[in-house]
Every structure is written in C-alpha cells, then in structure tokens.
Amino acid sequence: MTEISAEHSGDHTHRDVTGGWLRPAVFGAVDGLVSNFALIAGMDGGTDSGSKFIVLAGLAGLAAGAFSMAAGEYTSVASQRELARAEIDVERREIQRHPVDEERELSATYQQKGLDADLADKVAKQFHANPDQALEEHVREELGIDPNDLPSPVVAAASSFICFAVGALIPLLPYLLGANSVIPALIMSLTALFICGAVVSRVTSRSWWYSGLRQLLLGGAAAALTYGVGTLVGPGIG
C-alpha cells in the first residue's frame, strides 16, 4: 500500500466534535451573559439604579444559573450516555446470538454504500473475525456513534458551570466595582455578546461579524424586554 504523504497527514486533521464540552461551554457562556444581563436590566428598570438589590439579584442569578446549568447538563449527557450503552449492549447480544445474520447485515450496509457484493462480504467477514471489532463497526454503522468516544457528563457539567459563571459575572462586574448606573453593564455586556458570537464563528461556517452581530441583537433584545417588564411592574410592587 502506498503511504500517505507527510504533508497530507499533517494538514488533514479535524477538530473534536463529539467530546461533549463545546456545546455546553458555548451555551453556558452565552446563557449566563444573556440571562444575568437581562435580570440586572430588569432589576434596574424596577428599582433605584445602583441598589444593593441589583447586586444581590445578580449574584443569586449567577449562582443559581451555574448550578442549574451544570446539573441539567450532567443529567442530559449522562442519560444520553446510558442510552448509547444500552443500545450497544443490544447490538452485542445480537452479534453473539446471530453472528451469521449480523455479518450479512453488515455486508448489506457496505453494498448500499457502493461496494460490490464479493468485497462487501469479505470486509464484513474480516470484521466479524474479531467480536470486538465487529461490535464497534456495527455500532458506528447502525447508531452513528463511536463506542470508545462517548461524551462525558462530568466534562459537560464542568464546562457549563464555569462558562455560565464567567458569562454571568460580566454584567454584574460594574456594580461590584461601584457603578451606580446600568450604562457600564450595558456597554460591557453588549461588547461581550458580540465577542462571544465572533468566537463561536471560529468553529462554525458563519462569518465573525454575522455571528457577533446576531448574538448582540438577540441578547440586547432580551435585556431590553426584561428592562421594560421591570419598568412596568417594579413601581407597582414598590
């Protein structure tokens, strides 16, 4: 067999898309920033600007949101992992009980992908010579997952917790540093929203300015609506 050139081997690499950390990290940071920015804006609209209640609400929103996100991500990814393992066990039992039928099934899969019948039979037979390799191949072909690379619930929970806390701290930071107006929090939050969107574009096909502007507009709209609710409801409660 001709060896792959060193140039191609070095260039042809892919980023991790199944590690279970990117989605909760991105979602956590954006959600923390948007939710706490909106919460603080709503409190500012319904209370005296610079009030200690804004800081208290912001800290409570940060803590509650970070723990809630972490718990939700852990449960979600753990359930997904348990489901995948249960389906892998089903496939393992089928291979043990009906090895010939499973081999034919794998051959049929290869034929559907374009291999001729003789070659598909040979490839399937070679995989089934090793039960572990046969299981991995059936799982990849039938479930679309790698049984050796399932997402980690701990990684997902930790990523979500840390990134949510960092995102939620940004709109709160000006108040912790002594600001008595929502303007500094507004500037920092909108800037951070644009940066978050631009950073996300590094792992997607969207342009940085489109992703950044989209995130800024969505987060700004959420904060503006919550500020309006606070303005309408706050005086009546007070």
Side-chain angles (χ1 to χ4, degrees):
M1 179 184 295
T2 304
E3 293 185 0
I4 299 175
S5 67
E7 180 181 0
H8 177 73
S9 178
D11 292 341
H12 194 72
T13 57
H14 296 283
R15 292 166 289 188
D16 178 21
V17 297
T18 60
W21 65 269
L22 180 59
R23 182 188 63 82
V26 172
F27 183 62
V30 173
D31 190 43
L33 177 55
V34 172
S35 63
N36 226 30
F37 178 34
L39 174 63
I40 289 171
M43 290 294 294
D44 187 87
T47 62
D48 293 333
S49 183
S51 168
K52 63 182 181 181
F53 295 111
I54 296 178
V55 175
L56 178 60
L59 289 174
L62 186 157
F67 284 115
S68 176
M69 286 287 292
E73 281 295 337
Y74 185 92
T75 301
S76 174
V77 176
S79 299
Q80 177 186 356
R81 188 184 180 95
E82 290 162 3
L83 174 61
R85 284 180 169 173
E87 291 302 309
I88 291 171
D89 288 338
V90 169
E91 192 62 33
R92 180 182 289 108
R93 289 193 297 269
E94 286 301 307
I95 292 174
Q96 292 171 349
R97 294 172 181 172
H98 310 287
V100 176
D101 290 333
E102 287 293 317
E103 183 178 323
R104 290 172 179 168
E105 183 181 279
L106 187 58
S107 175
T109 299
Y110 294 145
Q111 291 178 50
Q112 291 174 0
K113 290 187 173 184
L115 294 184
D116 62 67
D118 289 340
L119 181 56
D121 287 343
K122 290 178 181 179
V123 174
K125 186 177 184 62
Q126 186 168 348
F127 272 116
H128 272 262
N130 184 320
D132 291 334
Q133 288 185 345
L135 176 63
E136 290 184 14
E137 190 66 10
H138 277 276
V139 169
R140 288 191 181 95
E141 292 294 338
E142 296 178 33
L143 301 179
I145 60 176
D146 184 345
N148 299 315
D149 190 26
L150 298 178
S152 167
V154 174
V155 170
S159 299
S160 181
F161 179 89
I162 294 171
C163 292
F164 185 99
V166 171
L169 181 63
I170 292 174
L172 181 60
L173 193 58
Y175 287 99
L176 295 176
L177 296 178
N180 56 9
S181 167
V182 75
I183 300 301
L186 175 67
I187 294 173
M188 287 187 64
S189 298
L190 293 179
T191 302
L193 283 168
F194 184 86
I195 292 173
C196 281
V199 169
V200 169
S201 72
R202 298 289 295 177
V203 294
T204 66
S205 59
R206 291 290 188 180
S207 62
W208 64 271
W209 61 267
Y210 176 89
S211 295
L213 186 61
R214 177 179 62 183
Q215 195 59 64
L216 184 152
L217 292 175
L218 290 174
L225 290 171
T226 311
Y227 181 87
V229 171
T231 302
L232 292 173
V233 176
I237 295 177

